[in-house]
Amino acid sequence: MAQTVIRVTLKGSLASQPLFCFTVRQLPIKQEADHVVRFKPFLFVMICCAWMLLGCGAPTGNEAHLESDPRAFSVETVTKRSIPRVYETPGTFVSDDRIQVASRLAAFIRSVDVREGQVVKRGDTLFRLDAADVEGAVRQAEAAAAQARSVFEDANADVGRFERLYETDSVAQTELRQVQLARDVARDKLRQAEAGVTTARSQRRYTTVTSPVSGVVIARHKQSGDLASPGQPIITLESQKAVLFDTYVAESVIRFINVGDLVELHVDALNDLAVTGEVLRIVPSGDVVTRRFQVKIAPGDEAGLLPGMFGRAAFRIGEDEALVLPNAAIALRGGLDGVFVVDTETRARFRMVRKGRQWQNRSEVIAGLQADETVILNPDASLRDGDRVIPKNDTHISDEAEDE
């Protein structure tokens, strides 16, 4: 029985060796017909596997390189530019008018008429005190004033009588002077008593305490029935019209910050709102533990800013020379940030970069690029390393980076 060896060789990375081979035996006509029917599916499967192996193989230098036609991309040449050196520090928006309302009297609190979060206007009643002691002091002062007035009137009448007697030489001059002196003492005591009445009556207005400013109640320290003591706060108010940004800066940068400097504030609670503020006050005494100095910034009349909001202040403390890359040139490949650099053969070469400071449209490049290299703008997902490109609109980075 004769045998025939069949070798299947496909042109590819393994062109010098057959991909597979098999032997066909010559059988009688009847058996041959049966085996031909069985052999055809097997042959089809083997040819398909051969084509799959050919597709996975890498082309050799002797094979023709298949690539797509070059596409046109906008490019830009990166250069070194002066960019602002920014010092960023967190802080909190606070009210510049924070008032702790206390009582001048020692008395029981009859009622507290406000709650936390309530908006009050100037002159609104905050709390009331028991006025029994104040009214008793007023009546006592008025009684003392009435008594002093009677003594003064009697002493004044005595002076009139003694003056008439002195004119007729009925009394000595010494007696007249004693009577006049007693009248003067009674007059002084009357004035003292009247001043006591005024002081006692003035305490009445402190039994009903009103708001000194328009603002919001942020704390209520006492309740009805508590004893109010002089100097102890009962209500804390904040004015929302005078809001400042309070932050602390390191001792190494405090010399670069001056009153009147413009500062960019970012408010996370308002969708990262950017607000331009002005340095209002710098406390020239640092904390002995943190070595930081307090700086207060006026954010202007920006709606929505409330005391207690978190923010970040960006101080411009100088300039640096650095490479600035447009964000449109950054491509994400394999989870890594990089750019496509156009080489001397007008091929796109992917290169990973490390970014530094960022602005709205541009980023600082710390590593991965050199000056005067050309990068592709807006690379699409189909662009691969080694593709040919046609550069167009080659421009240098403008001074926009400096303005940002």
Side-chain angles (χ1 to χ4, degrees):
M1 183 182 299
Q3 296 183 354
T4 302
V5 178
I6 299 176
R7 291 181 173 84
V8 178
T9 303
L10 297 178
K11 187 176 183 180
S13 59
L14 303 176
S16 59
Q17 299 293 334
L19 292 180
F20 58 87
C21 63
F22 53 90
T23 304
V24 179
R25 294 181 298 173
Q26 293 182 358
L27 301 175
I29 297 176
K30 184 178 179 180
Q31 295 182 2
E32 182 178 359
D34 294 338
H35 280 76
V36 168
V37 175
R38 298 177 183 176
F39 175 73
K40 285 183 179 180
F42 175 75
L43 179 61
F44 175 76
V45 172
M46 298 303 295
I47 293 175
C48 290
C49 292
W51 279 108
M52 291 175 63
L53 292 174
L54 178 62
C56 295
T60 61
N62 298 327
E63 299 171 347
H65 178 71
L66 300 179
E67 60 181 355
S68 59
D69 295 334
R71 291 178 294 167
F73 286 95
S74 297
V75 296
E76 191 168 287
T77 302
V78 293
T79 57
K80 282 193 174 183
R81 291 289 177 177
S82 295
I83 61 175
R85 188 190 313 153
V86 178
Y87 173 77
E88 190 172 284
T89 177
T92 305
F93 288 92
V94 298
S95 175
D96 195 31
D97 292 335
R98 186 185 181 100
I99 302 173
Q100 291 185 335
V101 183
S103 172
R104 290 189 58 178
L105 307 175
F108 287 100
I109 301 174
R110 291 181 57 190
S111 64
V112 180
D113 300 338
V114 293
R115 293 282 182 181
E116 295 88 344
Q118 181 175 340
V119 179
V120 296
K121 296 180 180 179
R122 181 184 179 92
D124 290 350
T125 301
L126 300 179
F127 58 89
R128 294 180 174 89
L129 301 177
D130 186 8
D133 294 341
V134 175
E135 293 299 330
V138 170
R139 289 192 294 270
Q140 184 178 359
E142 290 176 347
Q147 182 180 0
R149 188 175 297 104
S150 298
V151 173
F152 170 72
E153 291 175 353
D154 290 343
N156 194 37
D158 292 342
V159 171
R161 288 195 301 270
F162 271 74
E163 286 179 349
R164 290 192 295 271
L165 292 174
Y166 179 74
E167 292 176 354
T168 60
D169 295 331
S170 298
V171 294
Q173 184 178 6
T174 303
E175 294 176 337
L176 176 61
R177 289 179 60 84
Q178 290 177 350
V179 174
Q180 290 176 343
L181 181 60
R183 181 196 61 184
D184 294 340
V185 172
R187 181 188 296 114
D188 293 338
K189 289 184 177 181
L190 175 60
R191 292 174 178 173
Q192 183 179 1
E194 291 176 344
V197 173
T198 302
T199 302
R201 289 176 178 175
S202 67
Q203 300 300 310
R204 287 175 173 171
R205 62 176 180 171
Y206 299 119
T207 59
T208 300
V209 181
T210 60
S211 176
V213 296
S214 297
V216 179
V217 179
I218 64 169
R220 193 171 79 160
H221 308 284
K222 297 286 186 178
Q223 306 293 333
S224 300
D226 291 343
L227 179 62
S229 301
Q232 291 186 354
I234 300 176
I235 298 293
T236 301
L237 299 174
E238 275 190 356
S239 174
Q240 295 183 336
K241 293 184 178 180
V243 178
L244 299 180
F245 184 78
D246 188 17
T247 186
Y248 292 83
V249 300
E251 60 181 355
S252 59
V253 299
I254 189 63
R255 66 181 185 273
F256 300 110
I257 301 174
N258 301 297
V259 174
D261 290 349
L262 296 181
V263 182
E264 185 173 330
L265 305 176
H266 295 272
V267 188
D268 295 349
L270 301 180
N271 297 324
D272 200 17
L273 175 68
V275 181
T276 301
E278 181 181 350
V279 177
L280 187 63
R281 291 191 289 269
I282 300 176
V283 179
S285 179
D287 188 273
V288 296
V289 178
T290 62
R291 309 298 179 186
R292 290 179 172 269
F293 293 78
Q294 186 180 25
V295 177
K296 291 195 174 185
I297 304 169
D301 299 331
E302 185 67 35
L305 294 179
L306 298 176
M309 283 186 172
F310 172 80
R312 290 169 286 109
F315 297 89
R316 185 168 179 171
I317 59 175
E319 291 186 348
D320 293 322
E321 291 286 333
L323 288 176
V324 179
L325 180 72
N327 292 337
I330 298 175
L332 187 64
R333 295 294 187 271
L336 300 174
D337 288 331
V339 296
F340 283 95
V341 180
V342 180
D343 61 10
T344 57
E345 299 179 356
T346 65
R347 292 185 181 273
R349 300 300 181 184
F350 183 76
R351 190 182 301 173
M352 290 183 296
V353 296
R354 183 155 58 96
K355 298 184 296 183
R357 290 167 287 181
Q358 299 184 18
W359 295 269
Q360 183 176 3
N361 298 319
R362 298 184 181 272
S363 301
E364 178 189 8
V365 179
I366 299 178
L369 278 180
Q370 295 181 357
D372 298 329
E373 287 190 311
T374 303
V375 296
I376 296 177
L377 301 180
N378 302 311
D380 53 34
S382 61
L383 183 63
R384 292 291 180 263
D385 185 270
D387 289 352
R388 288 191 178 275
V389 295
I390 301 176
K392 66 176 183 178
N393 300 331
D394 185 8
T395 58
H396 283 70
I397 293 179
S398 63
D399 292 338
E400 177 186 355
E402 298 180 2
D403 298 335
E404 293 173 345

